[in-house]
């Protein structure tokens, strides 16, 4: 009864017509979200239902009525039913700004790829919860977060927003982040469904791939994320799949998502991704950002199609039902927004925690790191380390107070907003810790930087790479930074390179330097996090969520399809149209490709050093109906540290594809041993059976290994499993 009353009070607080409970039975919180949606839809006219199915893009609205915030999306309220306005914001890495002015700040998280490097679902939940809280305070109730595209090509300019190349790692963390967001009574959106794996030509590109390969790779990441996160909404992508646009693709929307996975929420389009009313029949429920489409399909044309009998009224009911049931299920209707002040400083602590755990130590010559507090002279060079830490551009861009816009690259997309540095300079954080002198050179003159480096105990060179939505990138730093690092390392071999990159880069200078840290885009407290790891206050516990290749010649497609220039300086979304990309590698994405081809990358997936050492032993693999593997991990070094044991399948009875099937994090004190048990994800022990339309596992012997990376089998074993058949 109490919850029922809360529902009534909430509806009244919306400022609409006061609704009495008997007249508004859908406000009864004891009923299921589906029942509530049906009760409400029973009162709504067709026009009122259709009003829920298309939304504005305030950024492109010619005249924006007062009360509509500058943001990604807006759908007007229907106060007489207690339906609030749907207020949408991008929020993959924090609440995005969308041109609301630099004083509308929010706490920026490190990149999604950084989050993936933590291998930590709890942190992913905490990040989502922080974003959701800030979004509520800013007056948003539907977040366009939850990017889950597989890093099929390391040059995809949006990989930094996503969670790496493995479906289990990415899907698990995405699901946890979505749950975190939705713990604030709001809807989160898994996006961009599916195979939007490069930006170049994204509006027309056809990703051509077989059904089994797609199910076992890109779709599997979504399947895992959606099962774990239960997002209220899924956003379909810009591109085509096997010739059909993702937003009008019945196999993906009506088939895999709604039928096979039982997704009860609504499918919204990406902005400008609707091409016809066919999309509604294929499973699209809502046309987002209608100002970005050639015409508004889900308003007058939809109404006319229903009137002429060409489009079933029942499907309109289903579309509106899906929107309303998610709003009820996540508490958007029962818990109206009450915007309030943000504490971005406090929220930045979450960002700092992610950054600390995400940093990957790639190389460390004996005795170089951690830095000794007593070092006489440290020289810091480059990367605008005196200003802050770089962030990625595009719709996910978050603006923190005091951020600095350094320069806009020629032709950069206007929504990229230039290159933004978050105001937590590593130089200041290093100075706060160093006992001796810390000198700085901006690196614009490599000879001067090398001269300064010469007499130092240690040199820290910062190098950065900017990536943004709408543009793909090359697999490296710009030439000037490579030359700078080489010149400095030639002058002083005690050189540590700190990378702030969107993803993997090649390192022509690797043999010359003493240490390398990958710090990704480290967010609000990035400078502090880098300094904490450099000085050993925090053990480097990040592991690579993406393989670092030696060069583009190792990739399935050495040339990025459609890309006109090897080093693009502006948007590439319109290039190469109409484009067909053949994903002939199938589900051999990332480390699976390297294993299948016998290639040795620069650094493998899952790799990362610690300041301590770990030893593995006592493997026990139990098969049968599932796979459970236990083993011991010992911290054999002298410092506390965190290890990330990874369980890989090496081969099944009739196939030898490598797959990550389970992972965990273990914190160990020096000398401490812990027995760890990992249970394999059942879908990863199986193959997609096209004819049977299900996951199928053959009976027989499964080879496996527990490792410190995809290329470092510490313990090998095998187990005999029974045959199994799993519904999708
Ligand atoms: C992006 C989406 C984003 C939307 C709204 C699109 O260009 O692909 O990720 O949510 O814009 O800003």
């Amino acid at each position: 009864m109490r919850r029922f009353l809360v529902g009534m009070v909430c509806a009244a607080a919306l400022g609409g017509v006061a609704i009495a409970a008997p007249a508004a039975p859908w406000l009864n919180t004891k009923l299921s979200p589906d029942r509530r949606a049906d009760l409400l839809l029973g009162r709504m006219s067709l026009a009122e239902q259709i009003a829920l199915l298309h939304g504005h893009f305030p950024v492109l609205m010619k005249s924006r009525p007062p009360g509509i915030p500058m943001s990604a999306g807006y759908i007007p309220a229907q106060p007489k039913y207690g339906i609030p306005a749907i207020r949408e914001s991008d929020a993959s890495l924090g609440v995005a700004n969308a041109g609301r002015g630099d004083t509308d700040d929010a706490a920026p998280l490190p990149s999604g790829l950084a989050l993936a490097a933590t291998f930590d679902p709890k942190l992913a939940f905490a990040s989502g919860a922080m974003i959701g809280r800030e979004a509520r305070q800013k007056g948003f109730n539907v977040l366009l977060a939850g990017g889950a595209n597989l890093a099929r090509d390391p040059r995809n300019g949006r990989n930094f927003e996503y969670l790496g190349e493995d479906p289990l790692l990415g899907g698990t963390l995405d699901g946890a982040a979505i749950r975190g967001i939705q713990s604030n009574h709001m809807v989160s959106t898994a996006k961009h469904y599916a195979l939007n794996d490069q930006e170049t030509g994204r509006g027309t590109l056809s990703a051509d791939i077989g059904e089994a390969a797609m199910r076992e790779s890109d779709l599997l990441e979504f399947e895992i994320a959606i099962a774990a996160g239960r997002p209220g909404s899924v956003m379909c992508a810009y591109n085509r799949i096997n010739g059909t646009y993702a937003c009008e693709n019945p196999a993906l929307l009506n088939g895999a998502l709604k039928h096979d996975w039982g997704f009860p929420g609504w499918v919204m389009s990406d902005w400008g991704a609707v091409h016809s009313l066919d999309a509604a029949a294929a499973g699209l429920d809502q046309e987002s950002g209608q100002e970005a489409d050639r015409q508004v399909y889900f308003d007058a044309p939809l109404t006319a199609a229903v009137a002429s009998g060409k489009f079933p009224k029942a499907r309109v009911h289903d579309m509106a039902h899906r929107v309303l049931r998610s709003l009820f299920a996540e508490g958007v209707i029962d818990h109206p927004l009450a915007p309030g002040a943000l504490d971005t400083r406090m929220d930045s602590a979450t960002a700092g925690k992610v950054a600390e755990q995400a940093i990957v130590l790639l190389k460390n010559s004996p005795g170089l790191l951690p830095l000794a507090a007593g070092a006489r002279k440290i020289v810091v060079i480059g990367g605008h380390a005196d200003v802050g830490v770089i962030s990625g551009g595009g719709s996910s861009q978050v603006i923190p107070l005091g951020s600095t816009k350094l320069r806009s690259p020629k032709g950069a997309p206007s929504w990229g907003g230039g290159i933004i540095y978050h105001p937590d300079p590593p130089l200041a954080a290093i100075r706060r810790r160093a006992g001796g002198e810390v000198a700085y050179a901006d690196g614009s003159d490599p000879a001067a930087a090398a001269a300064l480096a010469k007499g130092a105990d240690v040199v820290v060179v910062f190098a950065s790479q900017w990536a943004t939505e709408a543009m793909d990138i090359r697999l490296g730093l710009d030439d000037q930074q490579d030359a700078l690092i080489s010149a400095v390392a030639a002058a002083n071999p005690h050189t540590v390179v700190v990378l702030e990159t969107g993803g993997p880069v090649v390192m022509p200078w690797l043999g010359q330097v003493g240490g390398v840290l990958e710090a990704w885009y480290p967010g609000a407290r990035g400078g502090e996090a880098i300094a904490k790891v450099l000085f050993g206050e925090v053990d480097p516990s990040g592991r690579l969520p993406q393989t670092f290749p030696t060069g583009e010649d190792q990739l399935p497609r050495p040339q990025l399809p459609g890309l006109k220039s090897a080093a693009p300086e502006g948007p590439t979304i319109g290039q190469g149209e109409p484009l067909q990309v053949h994903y002939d590698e199938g589900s051999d994405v990332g480390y699976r490709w390297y294993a299948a081809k016998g290639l040795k990358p620069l650094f493998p997936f899952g790799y990362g050093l610690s300041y301590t050492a770990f030893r593995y032993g006592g493997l026990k693999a139990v098969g049968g109906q599932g796979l459970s593997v236990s083993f011991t991990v010992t911290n054999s070094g002298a410092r506390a540290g965190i290890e990330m044991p990874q369980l890989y399948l090496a081969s099944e009875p009739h196939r030898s594809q490598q797959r990550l099937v389970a992972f965990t994090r273990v914190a160990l004190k020096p000398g401490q041993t812990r027995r760890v048990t990992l249970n394999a994800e059942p879908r990863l022990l199986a193959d997609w059976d096209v004819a049977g339309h299900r996951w199928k596992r053959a009976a027989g012997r499964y080879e496996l290994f527990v490792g410190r990376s995809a290329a470092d089998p510490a313990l090998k074993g095998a187990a005999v499993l029974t045959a199994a058949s799993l519904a999708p």
Side-chain angles (χ1 to χ4, degrees), residues 57 59 71-73 88-92 96 98 143-145 147 149 158 161-162 189 191-192 196 199 202 235-238 268-272 288-289 292 394-396 415 469-470 573:
F57 186 13
V59 173
S71 72
E88 297 170 335
S89 175
D90 281 296
S92 295
L143 297 193
L144 317 173
N149 293 92
R158 288 188 92 171
E161 292 183 49
Y162 309 142
T189 309
K191 69 182 188 183
H192 313 83
N196 185 179
E199 287 296 276
R202 75 178 181 186
M235 184 191 294
C236 52
Y238 284 118
M268 66 164 76
S269 66
D270 201 341
W271 272 232
S288 311
S395 56
S396 67
W415 63 90
E469 176 177 349
I573 41 178

Short mmCIF file of all heavy atoms in Angstrom, two decimals, residues 57 59 71-73 88-92 96 98 143-145 147 149 158 161-162 189 191-192 196 199 202 235-238 268-272 288-289 292 394-396 415 469-470 573, ligand 1:
data_model
loop_
_atom_site.label_atom_id
_atom_site.label_comp_id
_atom_site.label_asym_id
_atom_site.label_seq_id
_atom_site.Cartn_x
_atom_site.Cartn_y
_atom_site.Cartn_z
N PHE A 57 16.19 16.26 -31.49
CA PHE A 57 17.63 16.41 -31.28
C PHE A 57 17.82 17.90 -30.97
O PHE A 57 17.99 18.71 -31.87
CB PHE A 57 18.37 16.01 -32.56
CG PHE A 57 19.87 15.98 -32.47
CD1 PHE A 57 20.53 16.03 -31.25
CD2 PHE A 57 20.63 15.88 -33.63
CE1 PHE A 57 21.91 15.99 -31.18
CE2 PHE A 57 22.02 15.84 -33.57
CZ PHE A 57 22.65 15.90 -32.34
N VAL A 59 20.03 19.83 -30.13
CA VAL A 59 21.20 20.51 -30.71
C VAL A 59 20.87 21.02 -32.12
O VAL A 59 21.37 22.06 -32.55
CB VAL A 59 22.40 19.55 -30.74
CG1 VAL A 59 23.58 20.14 -31.49
CG2 VAL A 59 22.81 19.15 -29.32
N SER A 71 20.80 19.04 -25.37
CA SER A 71 21.31 17.70 -25.10
C SER A 71 21.05 16.84 -26.32
O SER A 71 20.61 17.34 -27.36
CB SER A 71 20.60 17.09 -23.88
OG SER A 71 19.27 16.76 -24.23
N ALA A 72 21.25 15.56 -26.20
CA ALA A 72 21.12 14.69 -27.37
C ALA A 72 19.67 14.41 -27.74
O ALA A 72 19.35 14.29 -28.91
CB ALA A 72 21.84 13.37 -27.09
N GLY A 73 18.78 14.30 -26.75
CA GLY A 73 17.43 13.90 -27.11
C GLY A 73 16.35 14.38 -26.16
O GLY A 73 16.60 14.57 -24.96
N GLU A 88 17.25 12.91 -22.71
CA GLU A 88 18.35 12.00 -23.00
C GLU A 88 19.69 12.74 -23.05
O GLU A 88 19.78 13.83 -23.59
CB GLU A 88 18.13 11.32 -24.35
CG GLU A 88 16.88 10.45 -24.37
CD GLU A 88 16.51 9.97 -25.77
OE1 GLU A 88 16.89 10.62 -26.75
OE2 GLU A 88 15.83 8.94 -25.86
N SER A 89 20.69 12.08 -22.49
CA SER A 89 22.05 12.63 -22.60
C SER A 89 23.02 11.50 -22.94
O SER A 89 22.87 10.38 -22.47
CB SER A 89 22.48 13.25 -21.27
OG SER A 89 23.85 13.67 -21.36
N ASP A 90 24.02 11.84 -23.75
CA ASP A 90 25.13 10.91 -23.91
C ASP A 90 25.84 10.82 -22.57
O ASP A 90 25.89 11.80 -21.81
CB ASP A 90 26.09 11.41 -24.99
CG ASP A 90 25.53 11.09 -26.37
OD1 ASP A 90 25.40 9.90 -26.67
OD2 ASP A 90 25.22 12.02 -27.12
N ALA A 91 26.40 9.64 -22.29
CA ALA A 91 26.96 9.48 -20.94
C ALA A 91 27.89 8.28 -20.83
O ALA A 91 28.02 7.71 -19.75
CB ALA A 91 25.83 9.36 -19.93
N SER A 92 28.55 7.90 -21.91
CA SER A 92 29.41 6.71 -21.82
C SER A 92 30.52 6.90 -20.80
O SER A 92 30.91 5.97 -20.11
CB SER A 92 30.03 6.40 -23.17
OG SER A 92 29.03 6.07 -24.09
N ALA A 96 27.78 13.89 -20.78
CA ALA A 96 28.35 14.69 -21.86
C ALA A 96 27.72 16.08 -21.86
O ALA A 96 26.64 16.29 -21.29
CB ALA A 96 28.14 13.99 -23.18
N ALA A 98 27.27 18.36 -24.74
CA ALA A 98 26.41 18.70 -25.89
C ALA A 98 26.23 20.20 -26.11
O ALA A 98 25.15 20.66 -26.45
CB ALA A 98 25.05 18.02 -25.76
N LEU A 143 19.84 7.57 -20.50
CA LEU A 143 21.24 7.80 -20.86
C LEU A 143 21.67 6.96 -22.05
O LEU A 143 21.36 5.77 -22.13
CB LEU A 143 22.16 7.51 -19.66
CG LEU A 143 21.93 8.41 -18.44
CD1 LEU A 143 23.08 8.26 -17.46
CD2 LEU A 143 21.77 9.87 -18.84
N LEU A 144 22.38 7.61 -22.96
CA LEU A 144 22.87 6.93 -24.16
C LEU A 144 24.28 6.45 -23.85
O LEU A 144 25.26 6.90 -24.42
CB LEU A 144 22.86 7.91 -25.34
CG LEU A 144 21.59 8.77 -25.42
CD1 LEU A 144 21.71 9.83 -26.49
CD2 LEU A 144 20.37 7.88 -25.66
N ALA A 145 24.34 5.58 -22.86
CA ALA A 145 25.64 5.08 -22.42
C ALA A 145 25.72 3.61 -22.83
O ALA A 145 24.89 3.13 -23.57
CB ALA A 145 25.75 5.23 -20.91
N GLY A 147 28.27 1.76 -24.46
CA GLY A 147 28.87 1.39 -25.74
C GLY A 147 29.52 0.01 -25.67
O GLY A 147 30.37 -0.23 -24.82
N ASN A 149 30.57 -1.94 -28.62
CA ASN A 149 31.06 -2.45 -29.91
C ASN A 149 32.42 -3.11 -29.73
O ASN A 149 33.30 -2.60 -29.03
CB ASN A 149 31.13 -1.31 -30.93
CG ASN A 149 29.75 -0.81 -31.28
OD1 ASN A 149 29.26 0.12 -30.66
ND2 ASN A 149 29.09 -1.46 -32.21
N ARG A 158 36.43 5.26 -32.38
CA ARG A 158 35.59 5.24 -31.17
C ARG A 158 35.94 4.11 -30.22
O ARG A 158 35.25 3.93 -29.22
CB ARG A 158 34.11 5.15 -31.54
CG ARG A 158 33.55 6.40 -32.13
CD ARG A 158 32.04 6.32 -32.30
NE ARG A 158 31.34 6.84 -31.13
CZ ARG A 158 30.02 7.05 -31.10
NH1 ARG A 158 29.28 6.74 -32.15
NH2 ARG A 158 29.45 7.54 -30.03
N GLU A 161 35.76 4.59 -26.51
CA GLU A 161 34.47 4.62 -25.80
C GLU A 161 34.03 3.22 -25.40
O GLU A 161 33.15 3.06 -24.57
CB GLU A 161 33.38 5.20 -26.70
CG GLU A 161 33.50 6.66 -27.02
CD GLU A 161 32.31 7.14 -27.85
OE1 GLU A 161 31.16 6.86 -27.49
OE2 GLU A 161 32.56 7.80 -28.89
N TYR A 162 34.57 2.20 -26.06
CA TYR A 162 34.09 0.83 -25.87
C TYR A 162 35.00 0.04 -24.92
O TYR A 162 35.90 0.60 -24.31
CB TYR A 162 33.97 0.13 -27.23
CG TYR A 162 33.18 0.91 -28.27
CD1 TYR A 162 33.57 0.91 -29.62
CD2 TYR A 162 32.06 1.66 -27.91
CE1 TYR A 162 32.85 1.61 -30.57
CE2 TYR A 162 31.35 2.38 -28.86
CZ TYR A 162 31.75 2.35 -30.20
OH TYR A 162 31.05 3.05 -31.13
N THR A 189 21.21 2.70 -22.13
CA THR A 189 21.07 2.20 -23.50
C THR A 189 22.32 1.47 -23.92
O THR A 189 23.41 2.06 -23.91
CB THR A 189 20.85 3.41 -24.45
OG1 THR A 189 19.80 4.21 -23.93
CG2 THR A 189 20.52 2.97 -25.85
N LYS A 191 24.63 0.28 -26.81
CA LYS A 191 24.77 0.77 -28.18
C LYS A 191 26.13 0.38 -28.74
O LYS A 191 27.02 0.02 -27.96
CB LYS A 191 24.59 2.28 -28.22
CG LYS A 191 25.73 3.08 -27.54
CD LYS A 191 25.44 4.56 -27.57
CE LYS A 191 26.65 5.35 -27.08
NZ LYS A 191 26.40 6.79 -27.01
N HIS A 192 26.42 0.43 -30.00
CA HIS A 192 25.56 0.67 -31.14
C HIS A 192 25.39 -0.67 -31.79
O HIS A 192 26.36 -1.23 -32.30
CB HIS A 192 26.20 1.65 -32.11
CG HIS A 192 26.76 2.88 -31.43
ND1 HIS A 192 28.00 2.92 -30.82
CD2 HIS A 192 26.21 4.11 -31.22
CE1 HIS A 192 28.20 4.11 -30.29
NE2 HIS A 192 27.14 4.86 -30.52
N ASN A 196 29.16 -1.83 -35.66
CA ASN A 196 29.61 -0.47 -36.01
C ASN A 196 31.08 -0.40 -35.58
O ASN A 196 31.43 0.28 -34.64
CB ASN A 196 28.75 0.55 -35.25
CG ASN A 196 29.04 1.98 -35.62
OD1 ASN A 196 28.42 2.89 -35.10
ND2 ASN A 196 30.00 2.23 -36.50
N GLU A 199 34.55 3.93 -37.99
CA GLU A 199 33.83 5.17 -38.24
C GLU A 199 33.79 5.52 -39.73
O GLU A 199 32.80 6.06 -40.21
CB GLU A 199 34.47 6.31 -37.44
CG GLU A 199 34.18 6.23 -35.95
CD GLU A 199 32.70 6.37 -35.63
OE1 GLU A 199 32.20 7.50 -35.54
OE2 GLU A 199 32.04 5.32 -35.51
N ARG A 202 30.65 5.07 -41.95
CA ARG A 202 29.73 4.36 -41.04
C ARG A 202 28.26 4.46 -41.45
O ARG A 202 27.46 3.59 -41.11
CB ARG A 202 29.89 4.86 -39.60
CG ARG A 202 29.28 6.24 -39.33
CD ARG A 202 29.44 6.66 -37.87
NE ARG A 202 28.83 7.96 -37.65
CZ ARG A 202 28.88 8.65 -36.53
NH1 ARG A 202 29.55 8.16 -35.50
NH2 ARG A 202 28.30 9.82 -36.40
N MET A 235 20.32 0.85 -28.64
CA MET A 235 20.39 1.75 -29.80
C MET A 235 20.95 0.98 -31.00
O MET A 235 22.02 0.39 -30.91
CB MET A 235 21.32 2.93 -29.48
CG MET A 235 21.39 3.98 -30.59
SD MET A 235 22.74 5.20 -30.31
CE MET A 235 22.19 6.03 -28.83
N CYS A 236 20.20 1.00 -32.10
CA CYS A 236 20.72 0.35 -33.31
C CYS A 236 21.69 1.31 -34.01
O CYS A 236 21.62 2.52 -33.86
CB CYS A 236 19.60 -0.11 -34.23
SG CYS A 236 18.39 1.15 -34.63
N ALA A 237 22.59 0.70 -34.79
CA ALA A 237 23.75 1.44 -35.31
C ALA A 237 23.48 2.08 -36.67
O ALA A 237 22.43 1.88 -37.29
CB ALA A 237 24.92 0.48 -35.42
N TYR A 238 24.46 2.86 -37.13
CA TYR A 238 24.36 3.54 -38.43
C TYR A 238 24.51 2.59 -39.61
O TYR A 238 23.89 2.76 -40.64
CB TYR A 238 25.49 4.57 -38.55
CG TYR A 238 25.27 5.83 -37.75
CD1 TYR A 238 26.15 6.20 -36.74
CD2 TYR A 238 24.21 6.67 -38.04
CE1 TYR A 238 25.97 7.36 -36.02
CE2 TYR A 238 24.01 7.84 -37.32
CZ TYR A 238 24.89 8.18 -36.32
OH TYR A 238 24.70 9.34 -35.62
N MET A 268 15.93 2.11 -29.82
CA MET A 268 15.96 3.49 -30.37
C MET A 268 17.02 3.53 -31.47
O MET A 268 17.96 2.74 -31.47
CB MET A 268 16.29 4.51 -29.28
CG MET A 268 17.69 4.40 -28.71
SD MET A 268 18.20 5.87 -27.78
CE MET A 268 17.32 5.70 -26.24
N SER A 269 16.83 4.43 -32.42
CA SER A 269 17.80 4.53 -33.51
C SER A 269 18.98 5.38 -33.09
O SER A 269 18.86 6.20 -32.17
CB SER A 269 17.14 5.19 -34.72
OG SER A 269 16.81 6.53 -34.41
N ASP A 270 20.10 5.20 -33.77
CA ASP A 270 21.16 6.20 -33.63
C ASP A 270 20.69 7.45 -34.37
O ASP A 270 19.74 7.42 -35.16
CB ASP A 270 22.51 5.68 -34.16
CG ASP A 270 23.67 6.47 -33.56
OD1 ASP A 270 23.45 7.60 -33.05
OD2 ASP A 270 24.83 5.99 -33.60
N TRP A 271 21.36 8.53 -34.14
CA TRP A 271 20.90 9.84 -34.61
C TRP A 271 21.15 9.99 -36.12
O TRP A 271 22.30 10.10 -36.55
CB TRP A 271 21.62 10.93 -33.82
CG TRP A 271 20.94 11.32 -32.54
CD1 TRP A 271 20.62 12.60 -32.18
CD2 TRP A 271 20.49 10.48 -31.46
NE1 TRP A 271 20.00 12.59 -30.95
CE2 TRP A 271 19.90 11.32 -30.49
CE3 TRP A 271 20.49 9.11 -31.23
CZ2 TRP A 271 19.34 10.84 -29.30
CZ3 TRP A 271 19.94 8.61 -30.05
CH2 TRP A 271 19.36 9.47 -29.11
N GLY A 272 20.09 9.93 -36.89
CA GLY A 272 20.23 10.02 -38.34
C GLY A 272 20.35 8.65 -38.98
O GLY A 272 20.79 8.53 -40.12
N SER A 288 15.08 8.32 -32.96
CA SER A 288 15.72 9.32 -32.11
C SER A 288 16.18 10.50 -32.95
O SER A 288 16.37 10.36 -34.16
CB SER A 288 16.99 8.75 -31.47
OG SER A 288 16.77 7.51 -30.90
N GLY A 289 16.39 11.62 -32.30
CA GLY A 289 17.02 12.77 -32.95
C GLY A 289 16.46 13.02 -34.34
O GLY A 289 17.20 13.11 -35.32
N ALA A 292 17.86 14.84 -37.34
CA ALA A 292 19.04 14.35 -38.06
C ALA A 292 18.65 13.41 -39.21
O ALA A 292 19.49 13.06 -40.03
CB ALA A 292 19.96 13.61 -37.08
N GLY A 394 33.95 13.81 -29.51
CA GLY A 394 32.71 13.29 -30.07
C GLY A 394 31.56 13.40 -29.08
O GLY A 394 31.65 14.13 -28.09
N SER A 395 30.51 12.65 -29.32
CA SER A 395 29.31 12.81 -28.51
C SER A 395 29.53 12.41 -27.05
O SER A 395 28.75 12.79 -26.18
CB SER A 395 28.15 12.01 -29.10
OG SER A 395 28.50 10.65 -29.25
N SER A 396 30.59 11.65 -26.75
CA SER A 396 30.83 11.24 -25.36
C SER A 396 31.64 12.26 -24.57
O SER A 396 31.90 12.06 -23.38
CB SER A 396 31.58 9.90 -25.33
OG SER A 396 32.89 10.07 -25.85
N TRP A 415 31.28 18.60 -33.49
CA TRP A 415 30.86 18.03 -32.21
C TRP A 415 32.03 17.41 -31.46
O TRP A 415 31.91 17.03 -30.33
CB TRP A 415 29.71 17.05 -32.38
CG TRP A 415 30.03 15.84 -33.19
CD1 TRP A 415 30.52 14.66 -32.71
CD2 TRP A 415 29.90 15.68 -34.59
NE1 TRP A 415 30.69 13.78 -33.74
CE2 TRP A 415 30.32 14.38 -34.92
CE3 TRP A 415 29.48 16.51 -35.62
CZ2 TRP A 415 30.32 13.89 -36.23
CZ3 TRP A 415 29.48 16.02 -36.91
CH2 TRP A 415 29.89 14.73 -37.21
N GLU A 469 34.99 10.39 -32.17
CA GLU A 469 33.91 9.89 -33.00
C GLU A 469 34.02 10.56 -34.37
O GLU A 469 34.51 11.68 -34.48
CB GLU A 469 32.57 10.29 -32.34
CG GLU A 469 31.38 9.91 -33.17
CD GLU A 469 30.06 10.24 -32.47
OE1 GLU A 469 30.08 10.56 -31.28
OE2 GLU A 469 29.02 10.16 -33.15
N ALA A 470 33.60 9.87 -35.40
CA ALA A 470 33.53 10.39 -36.77
C ALA A 470 34.85 10.33 -37.52
O ALA A 470 34.93 10.79 -38.66
CB ALA A 470 32.99 11.83 -36.80
N ILE A 573 33.71 9.79 -41.70
CA ILE A 573 32.46 9.03 -41.76
C ILE A 573 31.87 9.00 -43.16
O ILE A 573 31.18 8.07 -43.52
CB ILE A 573 31.39 9.54 -40.77
CG1 ILE A 573 31.37 11.06 -40.71
CG2 ILE A 573 31.57 8.94 -39.42
CD1 ILE A 573 30.31 11.61 -39.78
C1 LIG B 1 26.35 8.71 -31.82
C2 LIG B 1 25.66 8.12 -30.60
C3 LIG B 1 25.10 9.22 -29.76
C4 LIG B 1 24.16 10.09 -30.58
C5 LIG B 1 23.53 11.23 -29.81
C6 LIG B 1 25.47 9.72 -32.54
O1 LIG B 1 26.19 10.39 -33.50
O2 LIG B 1 26.73 7.68 -32.69
O3 LIG B 1 26.58 7.37 -29.86
O4 LIG B 1 24.43 8.67 -28.65
O5 LIG B 1 24.91 10.63 -31.66
O6 LIG B 1 24.47 12.17 -29.46
#
